[in-house]
């Protein structure tokens, strides 16, 4: 589904990714871990098409096509979804309106009919249960005045509605208390399908207790220094990142 | 990001065509003879000519105001014509007699004037340069006792009303441009809603400047008698020309006891080209008087056009418990400059005013909000709330705020809130990441920003405003 080869990228002339190679197949969950500043979030943003980053080398193939040549909205329409670490506020635009507009754009791109507000409301009723959100959240402006936990649940709600093929969760666990973490992870697990894949970017092992990864990759200083299974995450939890930092330097 | 915003705000002006009609245009320049000529062309009574001359003589003693935050090449008031009318328009003609060329013009503007195609639920007075070419739905309105016609016609048919109220809110001596208008005003709309009548449809005037080298100086007068209600809409467009044209209009509203007037404007005069060549100088005095207790006047404006806008729709809150409202969206792009806002003058007890101003600046546009809230000593319990938000698109535009607050009564409550924001790359990226195009993303962000104002517009106009700003009208329609 996704094949990243020797990906290099800079932001404001500073090299952040220094050659990332990673293959993600349908049905898999990959965790990308690493200390602060290692390039985890940059990787997530580049896959989603953020214009602030410049790709200086390597390739990314998604469903057989060159992902890097697609505009951000085309990537979204083809099923790439990024759950933002810091979800953005849009004053005056209701959450329900925003979600329906996004849903309809993605349906149009797939050649499906747009849905009217009534049928969309029914769909929402069902999806809201997944993240245990109440209806009042739909009439509020997008992310305006939402608590940290509400923002993250709102991201997962969007994911539930848009049903991506490749979901990238960028530090979705940061700022969540244990109940919110359980709800968010429960939502993500419920959305897993054999034809979709998930990349979970996280600093801590905690989230991986709920979303169990098939593969764990450790990113240090713009490179993947180690890959393994979920045991690697537990080892990081016990030992921290320092021993890998030392290895990376050596 | 910038390319998408540019394509959105730089869309070609759609109304820049010229109608080819034979006109009766008087030579450029303004003097007492010209005023007499205009007055005689309109077959006016002596009292009105005298009033015009009073305005003219006052104007000669006044100086063009330069306190607004705008700059432009000086206007040569003797270089433009003060009257231009299509020859085919005759006084008091019926709509069946209107020149087909003019009908086609309004059709192209989306304002059908022939009987079969009337906009549903809207009566229209169509003003072309200096004259009204026709008013629709007059008979239906007359059944309710409502008078809706051109001001010129009202002078003939209802002189007692015109004489009583003309200049009662904006006197001939009010300001430089108002005095010029008093001297040279051509046509405009007149509305009278009788006691206790709720006007059953929207009333609308569509202003079109067509002739080159002329100014438009229309004058509108709306009177809502006790306990009545009216919603009035105004739209305006002009051809693209490389020289600027002056538009100095006056609008007067009078709301008597328990009456409500809702006045909405979608202003889309030609704004000039990217370098700032051409475009309308829109120097307009709009004022309403809440003369009676419990009356209400509400201004809503969407200002997207004009090279220069100088406009402060105001309310004099004279009656006890009266309410004034001002909802504004002003958009400037390229070299456009807008200095707009409102004045709320609290005179009566327990008077209320509410101001919501949304300024959007793009390109090299400069947008200023200028507002005065004045509470007079006897305005016991007066309250004002002002919210003034600016949005910047790009790095070369400007947003300015000049709020003036004068409070002469200790029981008054006056609140002012202001904010400035910039459309962020992160906001656009967030929406694109959910599958929306950059253009849709900008639309959605701008629409959200203007929501509080758009929800005040009648539906037909809300749709027009939506098209104008190229934005989706989220939640505010239907």
């Amino acid at each position: 589904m996704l094949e990243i080869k020797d990906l290099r990228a800079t932001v404001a002339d500073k090299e952040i990714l220094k050659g990332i190679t990673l293959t993600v197949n349908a049905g898999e969950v990959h965790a990308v871990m690493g200390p602060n500043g290692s390039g985890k979030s940059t990787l997530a943003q580049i896959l989603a098409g953020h214009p602030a980053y410049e790709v200086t080398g390597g390739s990314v193939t998604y469903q057989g096509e060159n992902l890097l040549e697609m505009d951000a909205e085309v990537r979204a329409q083809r099923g790439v979804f990024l759950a933002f670490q810091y979800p953005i506020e849009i004053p005056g635009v209701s959450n329900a309106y925003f979600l329906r507009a996004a849903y309809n754009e993605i349906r149009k791109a797939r050649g499906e009919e747009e849905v009217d507000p009534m049928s969309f409301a029914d769909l929402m009723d069902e999806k809201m249960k997944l993240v245990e959100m109440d209806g009042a959240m739909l009439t509020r402006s997008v992310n305006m005045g939402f608590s940290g936990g509400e923002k993250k649940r709102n991201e997962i709600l969007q994911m539930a509605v848009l049903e991506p093929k490749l979901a990238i969760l960028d530090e979705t666990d940061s700022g969540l208390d244990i109940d919110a973490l359980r709800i968010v992870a429960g939502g993500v697990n419920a959305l897993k399908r054999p034809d979709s894949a998930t990349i979970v970017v996280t600093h801590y092992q905690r989230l991986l207790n709920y979303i169990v990864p098939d593969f764990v990759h450790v990113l240090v200083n713009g490179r993947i220094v180690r890959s393994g299974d979920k045991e690697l995450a537990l080892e990081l939890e016990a030992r921290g990142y320092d021993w890998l930092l030392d290895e990376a330097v050596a | 990001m910038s390319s998408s915003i540019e394509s959105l705000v730089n869309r070609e002006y759609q109304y820049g065509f010229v109608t080819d009609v034979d006109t009766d245009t008087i030579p450029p320049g303004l003097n007492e003879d010209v005023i007499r000529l205009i007055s005689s062309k309109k077959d006016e009574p002596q009292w009105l000519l005298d009033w015009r001359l009073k305005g003219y003589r006052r104007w000669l003693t006044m100086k063009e105001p330069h306190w607004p935050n705008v700059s432009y090449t000086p206007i040569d008031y003797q270089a433009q014509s003060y009257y231009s009318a299509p020859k085919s328009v005759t006084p008091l003609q019926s709509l069946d007699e209107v020149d087909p060329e003019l009908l086609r013009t309004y059709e192209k503007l989306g304002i059908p004037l022939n009987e079969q195609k009337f906009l549903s639920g809207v009566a229209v007075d169509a003003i072309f340069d200096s004259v009204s070419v026709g008013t629709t739905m007059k008979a239906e309105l007359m059944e309710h006792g409502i008078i809706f016609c051109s001001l010129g016609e009202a002078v003939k048919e209802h002189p007692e009303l015109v004489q009583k109220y003309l200049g009662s809110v904006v006197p001939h001596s009010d300001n430089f441009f108002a005095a010029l208008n008093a001297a040279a005003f051509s046509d405009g709309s007149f509305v009278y809603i009788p006691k206790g009548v709720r006007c059953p449809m929207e009333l609308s005037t569509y202003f079109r400047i067509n002739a080159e080298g002329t100014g438009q100086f229309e004058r509108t007068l709306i009177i809502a008698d006790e306990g009545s209600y009216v919603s009035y809409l105004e739209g305006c467009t002009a051809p693209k020309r490389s020289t600027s044209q002056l538009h100095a209009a006056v609008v007067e509203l009078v709301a008597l006891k328990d009456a409500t007037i809702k006045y909405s404007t979608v202003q889309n005069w030609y704004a000039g080209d990217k370098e700032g060549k051409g475009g309308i100088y829109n120097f307009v005095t709009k004022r309403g008087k809440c003369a009676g207790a419990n009356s209400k006047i509400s201004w809503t404006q969407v200002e997207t056009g004009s090279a220069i806008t100088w406009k402060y729709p105001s309310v004099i809150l004279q009656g006890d418990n009266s309410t004034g409202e001002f909802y504004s969206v002003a958009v400037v792009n390229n070299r456009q400059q807008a200095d707009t806002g409102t004045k709320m003058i609290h005179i009566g007890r327990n008077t209320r005013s509410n101001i919501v101003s949304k300024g959007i600046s793009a390109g090299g546009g400069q947008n200023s909000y200028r507002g005065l809230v004045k509470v007079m000593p006897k305005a016991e319990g007066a309250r004002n709330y002002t919210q003034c938000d600016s949005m910047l698109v790009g790095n070369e535009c400007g947003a300015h705020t000049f709020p003036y607050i004068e409070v002469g009564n200790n029981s008054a409550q006056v609140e002012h809130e202001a904010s400035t924001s910039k459309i962020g790359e992160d906001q656009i990226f967030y929406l694109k990441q959910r599958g929306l195009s950059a253009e849709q993303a900008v639309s959605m962000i701008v629409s959200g920003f203007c929501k509080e104002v758009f929800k005040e517009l009648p539906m037909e106009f809300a749709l027009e405003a939506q098209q104008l700003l190229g934005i989706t009208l989220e939640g505010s329609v239907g």
Side-chain angles (χ1 to χ4, degrees), chain A residues 119-236:
Chain A
S119 346
F120 187 71
D122 294 342
L123 177 78
M124 291 308 295
D125 281 347
E126 172 201 326
K127 302 288 184 185
M128 302 272 290
K129 285 183 197 133
L130 264 181
V131 286
E132 300 179 25
M133 259 166 74
D134 94 72
M137 302 271 288
L138 289 179
T139 55
R140 285 162 62 184
S141 291
V142 179
N143 293 325
M144 286 292 289
F146 284 26
S147 70
E150 285 174 331
K151 282 184 178 171
K152 295 297 173 76
R153 275 196 270 170
N154 202 28
E155 293 294 290
I156 303 307
L157 174 67
Q158 292 171 40
M159 179 176 154
V161 171
L162 303 180
E163 299 186 325
K165 291 269 183 285
L166 174 66
I168 305 157
L169 310 179
D170 187 8
E171 307 258 4
T172 296
D173 51 336
S174 67
L176 291 189
D177 63 29
I178 199 76
D179 289 329
L181 189 68
R182 182 185 50 75
I183 292 167
V184 163
V188 173
N189 287 330
L191 293 169
K192 263 205 281 193
R193 296 192 317 265
D195 64 340
S196 70
T198 309
I199 298 175
V200 182
V201 173
T202 181
H203 187 82
Y204 299 107
Q205 192 272 338
R206 192 172 72 139
L207 179 63
L208 304 180
N209 289 333
Y210 299 92
I211 304 172
V212 180
D214 301 302
F215 301 94
V216 174
H217 312 278
V218 183
L219 203 58
V220 173
N221 196 19
R223 292 188 182 89
I224 291 177
V225 296
R226 182 160 302 211
S227 295
D229 59 13
K230 62 180 180 189
E231 297 305 322
L232 177 58
L234 293 171
E235 191 177 355
L236 288 170

Side-chain angles (χ1 to χ4, degrees), chain A residues 45 48-50 73 76-77 80-82 84 88-89 91-94 97-98 101-102 105 143 155 158, chain B residues 425-438 440 444-445 447-449 451 472-475:
Chain A
Q45 300 263 4
H50 197 289
E73 71 266 34
Q77 289 159 5
V80 177
F81 179 91
L82 173 66
F84 281 58
I88 308 292
E89 300 180 345
V93 176
S94 80
Y97 177 80
F98 160 62
E105 279 313 306
N143 293 325
E155 293 294 290
Q158 292 171 40
Chain B
E425 197 169 87
D426 281 339
Q427 283 179 321
I428 292 176
F429 176 61
Y430 188 62
L431 297 179
K432 284 176 79 170
Q433 215 301 306
R434 298 301 185 250
L436 302 172
S437 69
Q440 287 171 312
M444 195 179 269
I445 295 164
S447 145
F449 178 71
K451 186 178 191 172
T472 40
L473 257 188
E474 193 261 312

